[in-house]
Amino acid sequence: MKWLSEFKTFAMRGNVMDMAVGIIIGGAFGKIVSSLVADVIMPPIGMLLGGINFTEWSINLHAAVIEAGQVVKPAVTLNIGNFIQTIFDFVIIAFSIFLMIKAINTFNRKKEEAAAAPAAPSKQEELLTEIRDLLKK
């Protein structure tokens, strides 16, 4: 029973919950990026390259074996188009994460600079400084 309570403590810790939310949002973001690449970016690129549909672009290594109208052995292909789309997906996701981390770092740097800046003296300190200066004269 002790291990069950330890697991519950571990699972309910803030970092684990934050990580779970991040993984779920990351999965959804990956689907959005995949759709962006497959449905928005690749069709114009394929059109510019002579009407190539990247999802169907492949190199046939071995033709399919067909006997009596049925496929006995499927064709062996290198699906280069899918690979190129996956590379585009990765680049867009990596660039998005880079921009997000850069924004967070900029925010943290400004926060640290604001904390490091000396605070303006309070009204009471200013009055005490004036009194001290007057007494010195």
Side-chain angles (χ1 to χ4, degrees):
M1 278 312 233
K2 183 179 178 185
W3 64 270
L4 189 59
S5 65
E6 287 179 20
F7 177 74
K8 182 180 176 185
T9 303
F10 167 76
M12 294 303 162
R13 200 177 305 160
N15 294 342
V16 174
M17 298 302 278
D18 292 343
M19 184 178 69
V21 169
I23 290 170
I24 291 168
I25 290 175
F29 183 70
K31 289 180 182 180
I32 291 170
V33 169
S34 295
S35 175
L36 173 72
V37 170
D39 302 329
V40 177
I41 295 175
M42 296 310 275
I45 292 175
M47 192 173 71
L48 289 173
L49 295 176
I52 296 173
N53 183 355
F54 278 94
T55 57
E56 296 174 0
W57 190 27
S58 62
I59 296 174
N60 196 5
L61 297 177
H62 190 275
V65 177
I66 300 173
E67 291 180 7
Q70 292 199 343
V71 177
V72 177
K73 281 186 173 178
V76 179
T77 59
L78 292 177
N79 299 321
I80 295 173
N82 287 336
F83 180 67
I84 291 172
Q85 279 193 301
T86 303
I87 290 172
F88 272 98
D89 288 352
F90 171 76
V91 169
I92 291 172
I93 290 172
F95 185 69
S96 300
I97 291 172
F98 167 75
L99 291 177
M100 185 174 62
I101 297 297
K102 185 173 178 171
I104 290 171
N105 286 343
T106 302
F107 176 73
N108 286 339
R109 193 175 320 116
K110 287 181 181 178
K111 195 172 168 184
E112 288 172 2
E113 288 172 359
S122 68
K123 197 72 165 166
Q124 186 178 11
E125 289 174 338
E126 288 178 11
L127 288 172
L128 288 172
T129 304
E130 288 178 21
I131 293 170
R132 183 197 65 202
D133 293 342
L134 288 172
L135 288 173
K136 280 185 179 178
K137 289 182 182 178

